Amino acid sequence: MPSVLGLLEAREKRVREEIARLREEAERVQAALSEAEGALQRLVDARATVVSRVMV
């Protein structure tokens, strides 16, 4: 029968691995978000340029 300490250590290891996986996923999501925000800003800038040229 496994010891309580052994069970806790195994669970801790699994949770640490899950945390590492989630951190990697969060980094990928943050990079994608930054890219999308940049694309949005470029579109907003382009729209503002078009509007300013049309209004002249």
Side-chain angles (χ1 to χ4, degrees):
M1 174 149 101
S3 70
V4 172
L5 184 56
L7 292 171
L8 288 171
E9 288 171 344
R11 177 71 177 137
E12 180 181 342
K13 181 179 183 246
R14 287 192 306 274
V15 171
R16 287 182 187 278
E17 290 168 350
E18 178 70 2
I19 288 169
R21 187 189 66 76
L22 289 170
R23 283 188 175 138
E24 289 174 5
E25 185 177 338
E27 288 173 10
R28 286 190 299 273
V29 169
Q30 183 60 48
L33 177 59
S34 293
E35 187 176 321
E37 288 173 334
L40 175 60
Q41 188 58 53
R42 288 188 296 277
L43 289 168
V44 168
D45 294 345
R47 181 174 46 84
T49 299
V50 169
V51 168
S52 69
R53 303 277 162 106
V54 169
M55 300 301 281
V56 172

